[in-house]
Amino acid sequence: MSLAAHTPAPTAPAPPGGAPPAPRPPAGTAAWTAPLRWLRRHAVVLAGCAALGYLLLPNAVVLLFSFNKPAGRFNYAWHAFSTDAWTDPCGVAGLCGSLGLSLRIALLATLLATAFGTLAAFALARYRFRGKSTTNALIFLPMAMPEVVMGASLGTLFLNTRIGFGFVTILIAHVMFCLSFVVVAVKARIMSMDPRLEEAARDLYAGPVQTFWRVTLPLAAPGIAAGAMLSFALSFDDFIITQFNAGPSTVTFPMFVWGAAQRGVPVQVNVVGSAMFVLAVAVVLAGRLAASRRRAQERKAAAG
């Protein structure tokens, strides 16, 4: 038998530390591992952008078809580019009237729900009273309850008390279901506030009213603003509860769209929807810009 068959193959000398040398990656591996590392680092951001794009896709379609000139009654297929609907948004009978009614109801419901909800949130967050836990549980019922149940219940209540259906019944119904959202938003903000700031104001001889207006209310303002914006959006957009509590002459904008869908939705509906979306985005961006400027001024004042 040959002696070379039993001779071990020569190995590379071990480094001074005793550990074997690390294996080198094959040639060309870095060309495809770098993109994988980048995707791994930005996977959450990419998934969030994809989800946001999916949510905004219907708004983009509505905005696109607001410049359409349909050949028939239905604005479902692109025919020709036109700005006629933007230059004459009230060209459809009853559209601007229903839009004005929805805006009035939404504004009044927002004011009332924000005022009552803020007071209720302060009471639930700052005070102890009998039935507090039950009240906290009842606050979430309008948020968890289907709108059909709430709308039918309120409609039955108004019918049994012989209250005529119309503007007032819609307003009461909208305040009822917007109240819970305001309470939850404001209460979350109050619970996160630092109580030492109010104690410092009282230590500096500020009275209860002055402490509330100068310290407590500015700190709770973001939660109050969030609740108010949410209430306005929910009230303006609601259809189911409004349908149960509206009168024959009170047609809100969602009800107008639902009725127009049976005969063909006019392009002006897309115009109103696009305008409301752009206005909402502008308000949010303005708020973010104002907050950024305020933080920059605070950092500048602290540094100076």
Side-chain angles (χ1 to χ4, degrees):
M1 181 179 294
S2 175
L3 185 61
H6 298 280
T7 304
T11 58
R24 294 182 179 180
T29 305
W32 57 269
T33 56
L36 288 179
R37 287 197 301 268
W38 185 88
L39 287 175
R40 200 178 302 118
R41 286 196 304 266
H42 300 85
V44 176
V45 177
L46 293 176
C49 292
L52 185 61
Y54 177 76
L55 292 175
L56 295 179
L57 183 60
N59 300 91
V61 173
V62 170
L63 179 61
L64 175 64
F65 276 84
S66 66
F67 295 97
N68 186 28
K69 188 174 183 180
R73 296 180 302 169
F74 296 96
N75 188 24
Y76 298 148
W78 183 265
H79 182 69
F81 180 84
S82 175
T83 59
D84 295 341
W86 284 92
T87 56
D88 188 18
C90 296
V92 179
L95 188 147
C96 285
S98 62
L99 177 61
L101 178 63
S102 289
L103 290 175
R104 290 196 301 272
I105 293 175
L107 287 173
L108 288 176
T110 299
L111 291 175
L112 294 175
T114 303
F116 294 145
T118 301
L119 296 177
F122 272 99
L124 292 172
R126 295 291 180 86
Y127 300 98
R128 295 181 179 179
F129 52 89
R130 183 177 298 178
K132 179 179 178 179
S133 59
T134 305
T135 305
N136 276 319
L138 292 175
I139 286 296
F140 288 94
L141 276 182
M143 302 173 62
M145 185 184 305
E147 292 190 1
V148 174
V149 177
M150 176 175 285
S153 302
L154 289 173
T156 305
L157 174 64
F158 296 142
L159 189 63
N160 291 333
T161 53
R162 301 185 183 279
I163 299 178
F165 290 97
F167 182 89
V168 176
T169 55
I170 297 176
L171 180 62
I172 294 174
H174 284 206
V175 172
M176 288 290 293
F177 75 84
C178 289
L179 190 64
S180 299
F181 294 92
V182 177
V183 172
V184 171
V186 178
K187 184 183 175 184
R189 178 63 181 177
I190 295 173
M191 298 295 291
S192 64
M193 288 166 49
D194 190 356
R196 293 175 296 182
L197 298 175
E198 297 174 273
E199 294 174 0
R202 289 192 292 267
D203 290 340
L204 295 174
Y205 304 101
V209 177
Q210 191 176 11
T211 301
F212 177 80
W213 286 106
R214 296 293 183 89
V215 179
T216 307
L217 189 59
L219 291 175
I224 298 174
M229 294 177 63
L230 187 60
S231 296
F232 182 85
L234 291 171
S235 177
F236 181 84
D237 184 62
D238 182 76
F239 170 76
I240 299 177
I241 296 178
T242 306
Q243 181 73 11
F244 278 98
N245 298 277
S249 61
T250 50
V251 179
T252 61
F253 183 71
M255 295 175 63
F256 175 85
V257 175
W258 178 81
Q262 313 301 318
R263 305 179 301 272
V265 180
V267 186
Q268 282 79 359
V269 171
N270 295 60
V271 172
V272 174
S274 302
M276 295 298 295
F277 174 73
V278 172
L279 181 62
V281 172
V283 170
V284 173
L285 292 179
R288 297 294 299 175
L289 182 61
S292 300
R293 288 183 177 179
R294 184 171 60 252
R295 286 195 297 267
Q297 292 176 356
E298 291 175 355
R299 287 195 299 265
K300 185 177 179 181

PDB file of all heavy atoms in Angstrom, residues 51-63:
ATOM      1  N   ALA A  51     -48.496  50.512   3.141  1.00  0.00           N
ATOM      2  CA  ALA A  51     -49.831  50.565   3.744  1.00  0.00           C
ATOM      3  C   ALA A  51     -50.459  51.942   3.575  1.00  0.00           C
ATOM      4  O   ALA A  51     -51.657  52.062   3.275  1.00  0.00           O
ATOM      5  CB  ALA A  51     -49.751  50.190   5.220  1.00  0.00           C
ATOM      6  N   LEU A  52     -49.653  52.997   3.754  1.00  0.00           N
ATOM      7  CA  LEU A  52     -50.182  54.351   3.579  1.00  0.00           C
ATOM      8  C   LEU A  52     -50.589  54.604   2.132  1.00  0.00           C
ATOM      9  O   LEU A  52     -51.627  55.218   1.863  1.00  0.00           O
ATOM     10  CB  LEU A  52     -49.124  55.374   4.016  1.00  0.00           C
ATOM     11  CG  LEU A  52     -49.545  56.841   4.003  1.00  0.00           C
ATOM     12  CD1 LEU A  52     -50.714  57.066   4.951  1.00  0.00           C
ATOM     13  CD2 LEU A  52     -48.375  57.738   4.379  1.00  0.00           C
ATOM     14  N   GLY A  53     -49.798  54.128   1.199  1.00  0.00           N
ATOM     15  CA  GLY A  53     -50.163  54.280  -0.204  1.00  0.00           C
ATOM     16  C   GLY A  53     -51.443  53.539  -0.553  1.00  0.00           C
ATOM     17  O   GLY A  53     -52.268  54.033  -1.335  1.00  0.00           O
ATOM     18  N   TYR A  54     -51.616  52.352   0.034  1.00  0.00           N
ATOM     19  CA  TYR A  54     -52.844  51.588  -0.209  1.00  0.00           C
ATOM     20  C   TYR A  54     -54.059  52.326   0.348  1.00  0.00           C
ATOM     21  O   TYR A  54     -55.133  52.337  -0.265  1.00  0.00           O
ATOM     22  CB  TYR A  54     -52.712  50.210   0.422  1.00  0.00           C
ATOM     23  CG  TYR A  54     -53.948  49.353   0.297  1.00  0.00           C
ATOM     24  CD1 TYR A  54     -54.274  48.741  -0.910  1.00  0.00           C
ATOM     25  CD2 TYR A  54     -54.790  49.155   1.384  1.00  0.00           C
ATOM     26  CE1 TYR A  54     -55.409  47.959  -1.032  1.00  0.00           C
ATOM     27  CE2 TYR A  54     -55.931  48.373   1.270  1.00  0.00           C
ATOM     28  CZ  TYR A  54     -56.229  47.783   0.067  1.00  0.00           C
ATOM     29  OH  TYR A  54     -57.365  47.019  -0.046  1.00  0.00           O
ATOM     30  N   LEU A  55     -53.899  52.966   1.528  1.00  0.00           N
ATOM     31  CA  LEU A  55     -55.014  53.699   2.122  1.00  0.00           C
ATOM     32  C   LEU A  55     -55.350  54.961   1.335  1.00  0.00           C
ATOM     33  O   LEU A  55     -56.518  55.367   1.263  1.00  0.00           O
ATOM     34  CB  LEU A  55     -54.678  54.063   3.572  1.00  0.00           C
ATOM     35  CG  LEU A  55     -54.588  52.915   4.563  1.00  0.00           C
ATOM     36  CD1 LEU A  55     -54.131  53.416   5.927  1.00  0.00           C
ATOM     37  CD2 LEU A  55     -55.926  52.197   4.704  1.00  0.00           C
ATOM     38  N   LEU A  56     -54.335  55.595   0.755  1.00  0.00           N
ATOM     39  CA  LEU A  56     -54.572  56.836   0.017  1.00  0.00           C
ATOM     40  C   LEU A  56     -54.943  56.609  -1.442  1.00  0.00           C
ATOM     41  O   LEU A  56     -55.278  57.569  -2.143  1.00  0.00           O
ATOM     42  CB  LEU A  56     -53.324  57.719   0.090  1.00  0.00           C
ATOM     43  CG  LEU A  56     -52.948  58.246   1.477  1.00  0.00           C
ATOM     44  CD1 LEU A  56     -51.690  59.088   1.395  1.00  0.00           C
ATOM     45  CD2 LEU A  56     -54.086  59.050   2.083  1.00  0.00           C
ATOM     46  N   LEU A  57     -54.882  55.374  -1.905  1.00  0.00           N
ATOM     47  CA  LEU A  57     -55.205  55.102  -3.297  1.00  0.00           C
ATOM     48  C   LEU A  57     -56.639  55.499  -3.659  1.00  0.00           C
ATOM     49  O   LEU A  57     -56.854  56.103  -4.728  1.00  0.00           O
ATOM     50  CB  LEU A  57     -54.967  53.621  -3.590  1.00  0.00           C
ATOM     51  CG  LEU A  57     -55.193  53.173  -5.042  1.00  0.00           C
ATOM     52  CD1 LEU A  57     -54.266  53.939  -5.988  1.00  0.00           C
ATOM     53  CD2 LEU A  57     -54.983  51.672  -5.177  1.00  0.00           C
ATOM     54  N   PRO A  58     -57.663  55.207  -2.836  1.00  0.00           N
ATOM     55  CA  PRO A  58     -59.020  55.677  -3.199  1.00  0.00           C
ATOM     56  C   PRO A  58     -59.123  57.188  -3.302  1.00  0.00           C
ATOM     57  O   PRO A  58     -59.839  57.706  -4.174  1.00  0.00           O
ATOM     58  CB  PRO A  58     -59.905  55.128  -2.066  1.00  0.00           C
ATOM     59  CG  PRO A  58     -59.131  53.974  -1.515  1.00  0.00           C
ATOM     60  CD  PRO A  58     -57.695  54.352  -1.634  1.00  0.00           C
ATOM     61  N   ASN A  59     -58.405  57.922  -2.422  1.00  0.00           N
ATOM     62  CA  ASN A  59     -58.434  59.377  -2.526  1.00  0.00           C
ATOM     63  C   ASN A  59     -57.811  59.860  -3.828  1.00  0.00           C
ATOM     64  O   ASN A  59     -58.290  60.827  -4.436  1.00  0.00           O
ATOM     65  CB  ASN A  59     -57.691  59.989  -1.331  1.00  0.00           C
ATOM     66  CG  ASN A  59     -58.295  59.599  -0.006  1.00  0.00           C
ATOM     67  OD1 ASN A  59     -57.896  58.613   0.590  1.00  0.00           O
ATOM     68  ND2 ASN A  59     -59.258  60.366   0.471  1.00  0.00           N
ATOM     69  N   ALA A  60     -56.749  59.184  -4.259  1.00  0.00           N
ATOM     70  CA  ALA A  60     -56.132  59.552  -5.533  1.00  0.00           C
ATOM     71  C   ALA A  60     -57.080  59.293  -6.701  1.00  0.00           C
ATOM     72  O   ALA A  60     -57.146  60.093  -7.646  1.00  0.00           O
ATOM     73  CB  ALA A  60     -54.824  58.776  -5.719  1.00  0.00           C
ATOM     74  N   VAL A  61     -57.838  58.209  -6.627  1.00  0.00           N
ATOM     75  CA  VAL A  61     -58.800  57.908  -7.692  1.00  0.00           C
ATOM     76  C   VAL A  61     -59.919  58.951  -7.718  1.00  0.00           C
ATOM     77  O   VAL A  61     -60.342  59.421  -8.784  1.00  0.00           O
ATOM     78  CB  VAL A  61     -59.361  56.483  -7.506  1.00  0.00           C
ATOM     79  CG1 VAL A  61     -60.485  56.210  -8.508  1.00  0.00           C
ATOM     80  CG2 VAL A  61     -58.252  55.457  -7.663  1.00  0.00           C
ATOM     81  N   VAL A  62     -60.410  59.332  -6.530  1.00  0.00           N
ATOM     82  CA  VAL A  62     -61.460  60.359  -6.465  1.00  0.00           C
ATOM     83  C   VAL A  62     -60.950  61.683  -7.026  1.00  0.00           C
ATOM     84  O   VAL A  62     -61.656  62.379  -7.783  1.00  0.00           O
ATOM     85  CB  VAL A  62     -61.931  60.525  -5.004  1.00  0.00           C
ATOM     86  CG1 VAL A  62     -62.839  61.742  -4.867  1.00  0.00           C
ATOM     87  CG2 VAL A  62     -62.680  59.283  -4.551  1.00  0.00           C
ATOM     88  N   LEU A  63     -59.717  62.050  -6.663  1.00  0.00           N
ATOM     89  CA  LEU A  63     -59.141  63.292  -7.189  1.00  0.00           C
ATOM     90  C   LEU A  63     -58.962  63.229  -8.693  1.00  0.00           C
ATOM     91  O   LEU A  63     -59.232  64.203  -9.415  1.00  0.00           O
ATOM     92  CB  LEU A  63     -57.799  63.558  -6.502  1.00  0.00           C
ATOM     93  CG  LEU A  63     -57.032  64.808  -6.947  1.00  0.00           C
ATOM     94  CD1 LEU A  63     -57.854  66.062  -6.681  1.00  0.00           C
ATOM     95  CD2 LEU A  63     -55.688  64.891  -6.252  1.00  0.00           C
TER      96      LEU A  63
END
